[in-house]
Amino acid sequence: MQEQKIWHAGVLGMTLNMDEGRITIFRSTLETLGWPSHYRFLYNPQMNQIAVQVCSAADAGAHRVGKLNEFSSCEIKCVAFVRMVYKNAQWDRRSYRMIGNPFPEQRLVSFQIQEALPIENGRVLDGTVSPTFALCRAEGSPSQNNPTPEEKADSGAV
């Protein structure tokens, strides 16, 4: 059985789930963006990047930050967008988690698609850890054995 890694709660993150067409934007990402009322996705398939950017309600592609789930994460169903990313990235049907990089001057958090980590039951699988994720793990987490709220949300656990 493969060992599973636990996500560091302070890391900026986003998860895509093909089966449900769901995108989960983690609390840490929303905090970095200043808890906006609206955001939009920016997608650059040539650069293999997705970004979450603060915007106004009138901007093209705007999504309202609705009621947050019990883990203070924002979930949105965006089936066509998720399918497009999966197809272009040539991912299998697993869920994928990405680590974000903040760009405060542009009011966005950017995610490198090629560094996405496959997850199962809300946990990153061992052997798929990127150098960025390994660095985040080395920084430590208050609880290495307890799943974060985001992991619980991704696994469907309550």
Side-chain angles (χ1 to χ4, degrees):
M1 185 168 146
Q2 252 183 339
E3 179 188 340
Q4 296 180 334
K5 301 287 184 186
I6 295 176
W7 185 260
H8 181 278
V11 175
L12 305 180
M14 180 168 69
T15 298
L16 279 73
N17 178 295
M18 173 78 159
D19 290 334
E20 298 176 24
R22 181 184 73 213
I23 301 170
T24 303
I25 303 171
F26 290 3
R27 175 183 56 234
S28 54
T29 302
L30 293 170
E31 287 173 352
T32 296
L33 293 173
W35 292 102
S37 62
H38 290 83
Y39 65 92
R40 64 180 168 190
F41 296 108
L42 304 176
Y43 178 48
N44 185 332
Q46 290 78 29
M47 298 292 292
N48 288 313
Q49 293 179 333
I50 298 174
V52 177
Q53 183 180 44
V54 175
C55 68
S56 72
D59 288 333
H63 297 280
R64 182 168 178 71
V65 175
K67 182 178 177 188
L68 301 178
N69 65 21
E70 63 269 25
F71 308 113
S72 298
S73 294
C74 176
E75 292 184 354
I76 184 170
K77 296 245 180 178
C78 212
V79 176
F81 181 69
V82 171
R83 284 182 182 164
M84 180 175 55
V85 171
Y86 269 71
K87 181 181 177 194
N88 290 343
Q90 299 179 344
W91 288 343
D92 59 25
R93 294 191 66 90
R94 293 188 247 200
S95 291
Y96 286 85
R97 185 170 291 165
M98 295 177 282
I99 296 170
N101 295 306
F103 291 88
E105 63 282 353
Q106 291 146 351
R107 300 179 64 202
L108 66 81
V109 175
S110 177
F111 300 89
Q112 291 293 326
I113 294 170
Q114 71 270 17
E115 292 182 14
L117 304 168
I119 61 173
E120 229 171 72
N121 296 323
R123 294 184 182 202
V124 176
L125 298 174
D126 195 26
T128 60
V129 178
S130 73
T132 306
F133 184 74
L135 177 62
C136 294
R137 292 285 295 167
E139 292 173 358
S141 173
S143 174
Q144 296 293 325
N145 298 317
N146 295 325
T148 66
E150 286 84 5
E151 290 173 329
K152 289 179 186 176
D154 285 340
S155 69
V158 178

